[in-house]
Amino acid sequence: MSYLDSLNPSQREAAESTEGPLMIIAGAGSGKTRVLTYRIAHLLEKGVDPFHVLALTFTNKAAKEMQHRISKVVGNEAKNLWMGTFHSVFSKILRVEASKIGFPSNFTIYDTDDSRSLIKTILKEQGLDDKVYKPSTVHNRISGAKNRLISYQEYLNNAAFLEDDKAALKPHMGKIYQWYQERLFKAGAMDFDDLLFFTFKLFKDHIDVLNKYQHRFQYIMVDEFQDTNIAQYYITRKLAAANRNICVVGDDAQSIYAFRGADIQNILNFEKDYPELKVVKLEQNYRSTQTIVEAANGVIKNNRAQLRKNVWTQNEHGEKIQLIRAASDNEEGRLIATAIFESKMGQQAKNKDFAILYRTNSQSRAFEESLRKLNIKYRIIGGISFYQRKEIKDILAYLRYAINPNDEQSLRRILNYPKRGIGDTTENKLFVAADEQGASVWDILCNATAVFGPKTGTLLESFALLIKNFQQWIAHQDAFDAASEIAKKSGLLKELYDDKTVEGVARYENVQELLNGIKEYVDDPEKQDKSLGAFLQEISLLTDADDTKDKDEDVVTMMTIHGSKGLEFPQVFIVGMEEDLFPSTMMLNSRADLEEERRLFYVAITRAEKKLTLSFANSRYRFGILKNCEPSRFLSEIDSTFIEMPTKMMTSSHFEDTSRTIVRKTSPIKPLAPKSTSQSTYIPPADFKPSDTSQLSNGMRVEHPKFGFGQVKKVEINGMDRKATIDFELVGEKTLILSFAKLRIHES
C-alpha cells in the first residue's frame, strides 16, 4: 500500500485505525485532508463496501476534493461513498423519508433571505412592529432553538425562554416561532436548520428508519468536528450507535463558529460518550514557517479550555512577523497596499499570494481604496452571493414555484413580476381567501373566477395556467431546457433585456450566467439526475465556502477571518489588531467568549505560509465617530522575539516603542489596562479642528487630540517629509510627521 508509505507515523496510525471510535486531533496545516482521504481509501482496500461509508463535511468543496483524491487511489468506487455536507446528506435522507414526517418529497429549502422574508410577512399579518421584532433577530432566535433541538412546542412550554423574551421586551417570540413553523409546513418547505431538526425527529420517532440507516452507515467520519452543533452531534451519535465505528477529525484550537451554534464541548467531551476512544494527534505543521507556528502556539496556550498538543514544523525558520502601527484606519490601508506593491516589485510576487484578513466586513473600505489607487486587483470574499442577487432570486422563484406550488414565498415574489396587473390588494385577498376557504393558495389560483369574479379571476387563472405549462416542461425536459423556457415564457428575460442601463445589462448577464451554470450541470457526466428539481436541490445547499469564482484568478483576497478558515496564502495581513475590534467588544463578557476570539486569531495566524504582517491603528472611525484605539491584547501574547517593526516606520511618533506594547501582559478577560495618566487623560474639545501646518514654526503653541498642548521646538524639512519636535505638557517631547499629525495652532 504505497499510498500509506507517504504518511508520517501519526498520520499512518490515524489512517490504519479503522475499528471503534477514533478522534484525530489535527493541528493547523498537519495534512488532515490527506489523512481522511487515505483512511477512507484504506477502508475500501480492506473490502468495506463504499455504500456503507458516510463522510460528513462542512463544505461541498471539501467533499468533492476528498472524493477526487480517493478516486485516484481506489478508482470509480469512490463515487459510491455517502459523502457531503451535513445538510446535503440529511436532505437526501429526508427526501426519501419525507412522507413519514408529513412533508412532500419535493419540499423547498428556504435560505436565510427566504426565512426572514416569511418572518416579515408574519409580523405584518400579526400587527407586530418589525423594529421591535427585527426579522434577523427573530430568525437567529429560532435558529438557535432548532440547533439545540427545541421545537416551538417545547419553547412555548419553557418558562425560562418566555421570561427571557419578556425581559427583552419581545414576549411574542415563541408564538412567532410557532407561526413560522406552521407556515413552512403549509408551504411544503424547510429552512436550513430544519434539515437537521427533522432528521433528528425522523430518527427519534421512527426507530425502523434509524435502524435502516444505522446498518447502512457502518463507518462514519466527521470532518471539522469542532464546528458541529448539538443537533449535528446527536444525529451522528444516533447513527453510530449500532457499530460505534465513528471517527471525528478536528482541532479545538480552530473552533470559531459559536455564533452559528457550534458547541466546542462536543470535541472537548467526546471521550465521555466513548470511553474506549482512541486519540491520535497530528502535530507536524507542513504549511507555515517555524516563526509563524511558534507565534501561533504562544497565542493559543493562553486558552484554558483546550486539548493540549505540541504543534511543530521542520520548515525553515522564516521571516519575523512584521508589525505595522498606523496613525489611522486610512493610513493602515495605504501602508498595507504599499507593502503589497513593494513585495510584488521586489520579490516578483503575484496578487494571489496575498490575503488581507479582518474581523468585520466594514473594515474593507480603506484597503479597497488604497489597492485601487495602486492598480492592484483584488476580490472580496463574503460580499453578496451570486445566488442572493435579486434577478437570480426572481428566476429561481419561478423554478421553485413550478416544482412546489405550495411555496408561498416564491409565489409572492413572482405573482406580479413582470407586471401582469395583479396588485398588492389582490395578492392579500388571495391569501385571505385561501385561509377562509381552508384551501391552498394554489387551489384558489386555479379557480380564481369563482372567488374574484371574471376580471381579476381571469388574470389569476392565466398565471396559474402559465405555471401548469412550466410543470409540463419540467416533467419532460432536462433542467437546462426547462429553465430556459421558463425564463423566456415568464417574461423575466425580456424584462431584463429591455433595461439598457449598466445595472440592467449586468442583471441580464447574471441570468444568462445562471443558465450557463444549469447547462454545465446537465452536461456533467457524473450527474445522474438531470432534472430541474435535482439542480435546485444542489444549489440550495451551497455554502459561503463553495465560491464558484476562479480561484486561480490573480487577485489579492480580502475576507473576514471567519471566511478564511481552511485556506492558506504565502503572505497574510491581519489588520485592525485593536481592543474592542479584535477582540470584539461583544466578546469580552466571559472567558468562553474571549477564548473563542483567541481561537479566531489563531486561525488567522495559521493561514500564513511564509510571511505574516499584523497591523493596528491609533485612531479609527467607528459608527461615524473618530475613536482613539489601544493595541489588541493578543499582540502581547506573541513572544517579542518573533516580531519585527520596519525601521522606516519608526520615524513617526505614531510608531513609538512598540516592543513595550508587545511584551506587556494583560488580564485575559478585562480590557487592556489604560496607559499611564500622562498618555491617556487628554480629551480634545468637541470643536477641535486641525490647522494648516504648512507655516508651522519654532515657538508656536499647538494642541494635539491625544497629547494635549505643547510648544514647537524644532521644524525639519527633508524632501517631502516635514517633521516637528514638540514639547507636550502631558507626555513630554515628541517628533511628529506633519503629514500625519493633527495639530491645532494656538496664538502664543
Side-chain angles (χ1 to χ4, degrees):
M1 297 188 184
S2 59
Y3 62 91
L4 292 179
D5 293 337
S6 65
L7 302 178
N8 69 36
S10 296
Q11 291 174 331
R12 182 158 188 159
E13 182 184 5
E16 292 181 327
S17 300
T18 58
E19 306 303 311
L22 171 70
M23 180 161 66
I24 303 172
I25 305 299
S30 62
K32 176 196 68 172
T33 303
R34 175 192 250 196
V35 173
L36 271 180
T37 298
Y38 287 174
R39 187 175 189 274
I40 295 173
H42 185 56
L43 279 169
L44 303 190
E45 288 275 316
K46 284 176 61 178
V48 174
D49 190 327
F51 286 99
H52 291 326
V53 178
L54 170 64
L56 296 167
T57 66
F58 271 81
T59 67
N60 296 292
K61 175 187 166 190
K64 287 177 182 176
E65 182 182 348
M66 283 174 56
Q67 198 161 40
H68 177 68
R69 290 195 194 186
I70 294 166
S71 66
K72 285 186 175 181
V73 180
V74 300
N76 287 333
E77 280 293 288
K79 294 179 181 178
N80 297 325
L81 294 162
W82 277 70
M83 180 176 287
T85 64
F86 283 90
H87 293 91
S88 65
V89 170
F90 296 161
S91 168
K92 191 174 176 181
I93 292 172
L94 286 171
R95 289 198 186 279
V96 174
E97 313 291 349
S99 61
K100 292 183 173 62
I101 52 174
F103 279 87
S105 61
N106 65 342
F107 62 82
T108 301
I109 299 173
Y110 278 11
D111 63 17
T112 299
D113 281 356
D114 298 325
S115 295
R116 292 179 181 178
S117 177
L118 174 56
I119 289 168
K120 198 168 185 177
T121 299
I122 291 169
L123 295 174
K124 186 177 179 181
E125 291 172 352
Q126 298 295 330
L128 295 172
D129 188 348
D130 64 6
K131 291 184 176 60
V132 175
Y133 294 93
K134 291 182 179 178
S136 59
T137 303
V138 174
H139 182 239
N140 289 338
R141 182 74 166 169
I142 293 172
S143 176
K146 289 183 184 179
N147 283 331
R148 286 177 286 161
L149 300 172
I150 299 166
S151 67
Y152 74 79
Q153 294 94 335
E154 291 169 312
Y155 191 104
L156 287 170
N157 287 318
N158 188 303
F161 292 157
L162 301 183
E163 283 301 316
D164 284 348
D165 291 340
K166 284 181 183 177
L169 303 180
K170 296 177 177 64
H172 300 293
M173 192 72 81
K175 290 300 293 182
I176 297 171
Y177 183 8
Q178 177 182 350
W179 296 325
Y180 173 72
Q181 282 307 113
E182 289 172 347
R183 290 290 281 275
L184 282 173
F185 186 76
K186 183 180 177 184
M190 295 187 194
D191 63 19
F192 249 51
D193 300 309
D194 282 331
L195 297 177
L196 303 177
F197 182 87
F198 283 114
T199 300
F200 180 79
K201 181 175 174 59
L202 174 71
F203 290 159
K204 182 167 72 76
D205 296 347
H206 299 273
I207 301 302
D208 57 327
V209 177
L210 173 61
N211 186 59
K212 169 183 168 183
Y213 288 101
Q214 282 178 335
H215 286 84
R216 175 172 295 175
F217 302 136
Q218 295 175 14
Y219 293 87
I220 298 173
M221 266 164 282
V222 183
D223 192 14
E224 303 288 3
F225 186 62
Q226 76 280 349
D227 293 333
T228 54
N229 59 34
I230 290 173
Q232 288 164 329
Y233 179 43
Y234 278 22
I235 295 167
T236 309
R237 196 171 68 183
K238 274 184 175 293
L239 285 172
N243 298 290
R244 296 181 78 80
N245 292 325
I246 180 171
C247 169
V248 300
V249 185
D251 180 5
D252 58 296
Q254 297 186 64
S255 177
I256 59 173
Y257 291 122
F259 68 98
R260 291 184 185 170
D263 190 344
I264 192 173
Q265 296 305 318
N266 289 349
I267 192 168
L268 295 179
N269 297 328
F270 189 63
E271 193 168 0
K272 291 181 180 178
D273 290 324
Y274 298 93
E276 74 274 36
L277 180 71
K278 178 176 183 177
V279 178
V280 177
K281 296 180 180 180
L282 307 182
E283 298 174 307
Q284 183 175 357
N285 180 299
Y286 291 92
R287 175 189 301 155
S288 307
T289 65
Q290 290 180 30
T291 294
I292 292 168
V293 169
E294 289 299 324
N297 287 346
V299 169
I300 203 63
K301 74 179 182 182
N302 290 280
N303 273 11
R304 291 184 184 176
Q306 62 174 296
L307 300 170
R308 296 290 172 183
K309 57 186 172 297
N310 177 36
V311 179
W312 57 279
T313 184
Q314 289 182 333
N315 292 342
E316 63 184 355
H317 195 273
E319 297 183 45
K320 285 191 174 185
I321 296 168
Q322 301 290 299
L323 182 68
I324 294 177
R325 181 172 188 169
S328 65
D329 47 352
N330 283 333
E331 190 196 22
E332 182 184 38
R334 181 180 65 78
L335 290 172
I336 287 185
T338 301
I340 291 173
F341 182 81
E342 290 177 351
S343 187
K344 285 181 62 182
M345 295 299 102
Q347 303 169 22
Q348 284 73 53
K350 296 180 178 179
N351 289 329
K352 64 181 179 181
D353 292 338
F354 302 93
I356 299 174
L357 308 182
Y358 34 74
R359 181 63 179 81
T360 66
N361 277 308
S362 61
Q363 292 170 252
S364 69
R365 178 196 57 80
F367 303 100
E368 288 188 72
E369 291 177 0
S370 297
L371 290 171
R372 278 200 298 265
K373 286 176 182 176
L374 293 177
N375 201 28
I376 297 174
K377 292 184 178 179
Y378 63 88
R379 174 181 64 221
I380 296 179
I381 304 295
I384 184 168
S385 161
F386 176 79
Y387 290 102
Q388 295 302 319
R389 298 178 189 277
K390 179 185 180 301
E391 61 275 13
I392 301 301
K393 295 279 283 185
D394 289 338
I395 186 66
L396 290 178
Y398 270 104
L399 306 182
R400 281 170 31 168
Y401 190 67
I403 288 175
N404 175 14
N406 289 319
D407 182 358
E408 294 181 5
Q409 286 307 112
S410 291
L411 175 61
R412 289 179 185 275
R413 194 170 190 106
I414 64 176
L415 186 58
N416 195 40
Y417 181 74
K419 292 188 183 301
R420 50 177 61 90
I422 303 173
D424 290 346
T425 302
T426 300
E427 179 184 310
N428 292 335
K429 286 182 178 178
L430 177 67
F431 282 89
V432 169
D435 194 48
E436 290 176 346
Q437 299 284 330
S440 70
V441 176
W442 174 245
D443 288 338
I444 301 295
L445 270 175
C446 294
N447 302 280
T449 51
V451 178
F452 291 90
K455 185 179 178 183
T456 301
T458 301
L459 287 174
L460 294 172
E461 287 182 9
S462 295
F463 173 77
L465 182 60
L466 182 69
I467 299 299
K468 288 177 182 177
N469 288 333
F470 293 170
Q471 291 171 336
Q472 288 296 311
W473 296 335
I474 290 169
H476 298 99
Q477 296 177 331
D478 66 30
F480 175 72
D481 290 337
S484 298
E485 286 295 317
I486 292 172
K488 293 172 190 171
K489 295 297 194 295
S490 65
L492 190 146
L493 212 54
K494 183 178 185 303
E495 175 92 358
L496 295 173
Y497 181 79
D498 289 344
D499 184 353
K500 299 302 182 184
T501 64
V502 174
E503 295 79 11
V505 171
R507 285 192 286 267
Y508 178 77
E509 289 174 348
N510 283 338
V511 171
Q512 291 296 340
E513 182 60 29
L514 174 66
L515 295 174
N516 291 339
I518 300 176
K519 179 63 173 169
E520 187 177 333
Y521 175 88
V522 168
D523 290 344
D524 186 345
E526 294 192 2
K527 305 294 185 188
Q528 296 179 346
D529 189 344
K530 312 285 188 181
S531 69
L532 187 59
F535 171 78
L536 289 177
Q537 179 181 340
E538 180 162 305
I539 65 168
S540 70
L541 295 167
L542 291 175
T543 68
D544 294 343
D546 299 313
D547 194 334
T548 57
K549 292 178 182 175
D550 182 7
K551 292 292 186 292
D552 291 327
E553 188 181 357
D554 190 26
V555 292
V556 174
T557 298
M558 296 171 56
M559 63 202 313
T560 64
I561 301 169
H562 280 101
S564 73
K565 189 149 175 289
L567 303 178
E568 55 191 49
F569 302 89
Q571 299 195 42
V572 169
F573 295 84
I574 308 174
V575 301
M577 292 297 304
E578 298 140 29
E579 283 294 299
D580 296 335
L581 181 55
F582 194 22
S584 165
T585 188
M586 305 288 288
M587 301 293 282
L588 297 175
N589 297 318
S590 68
R591 182 175 298 281
D593 286 346
L594 180 63
E595 293 201 350
E596 169 126 344
E597 284 289 279
R598 187 176 285 112
R599 292 194 295 269
L600 187 60
F601 185 39
Y602 177 84
V603 166
I605 293 173
T606 54
R607 298 313 93 199
E609 298 171 351
K610 301 291 186 185
K611 185 173 181 179
L612 176 64
T613 302
L614 308 174
S615 69
F616 61 97
N618 274 354
S619 63
R620 181 180 299 274
Y621 275 97
R622 299 200 69 191
F623 310 108
I625 300 171
L626 182 64
K627 293 191 173 183
N628 292 331
C629 305
E630 289 279 358
S632 169
R633 69 188 68 193
F634 294 151
L635 294 176
S636 68
E637 296 175 357
I638 300 176
D639 190 318
S640 59
T641 59
F642 298 129
I643 300 281
E644 177 180 297
M645 189 160 170
T647 305
K648 63 182 179 181
M649 294 180 183
M650 291 186 175
T651 55
S652 165
S653 69
H654 295 293
F655 300 94
E656 321 161 30
D657 181 6
T658 309
S659 62
R660 285 188 293 117
T661 303
I662 301 309
V663 299
R664 180 176 56 197
K665 296 298 177 187
T666 59
S667 161
I669 292 183
K670 296 178 182 177
L672 274 177
K675 294 181 180 179
S676 64
T677 305
S678 64
Q679 287 197 11
S680 62
T681 56
Y682 185 75
I683 300 174
D687 64 349
F688 181 89
K689 185 177 180 182
S691 305
D692 177 3
T693 57
S694 59
Q695 302 302 315
L696 192 72
S697 60
N698 295 352
M700 285 186 171
R701 181 172 169 76
V702 295
E703 180 185 11
H704 186 277
K706 184 176 182 182
F707 304 135
F709 290 93
Q711 186 174 36
V712 178
K713 294 295 185 184
K714 182 170 63 174
V715 176
E716 298 174 86
I717 299 175
N718 182 14
M720 295 298 291
D721 280 340
R722 298 177 64 252
K723 294 188 289 186
T725 300
I726 303 170
D727 185 11
F728 289 99
E729 296 168 2
L730 290 174
V731 298
E733 198 164 274
K734 299 281 182 184
T735 299
L736 306 183
I737 295 177
L738 294 179
S739 58
F740 295 155
K742 295 178 173 64
L743 297 173
R744 178 158 69 172
I745 299 173
H746 289 264
E747 297 298 328
S748 299

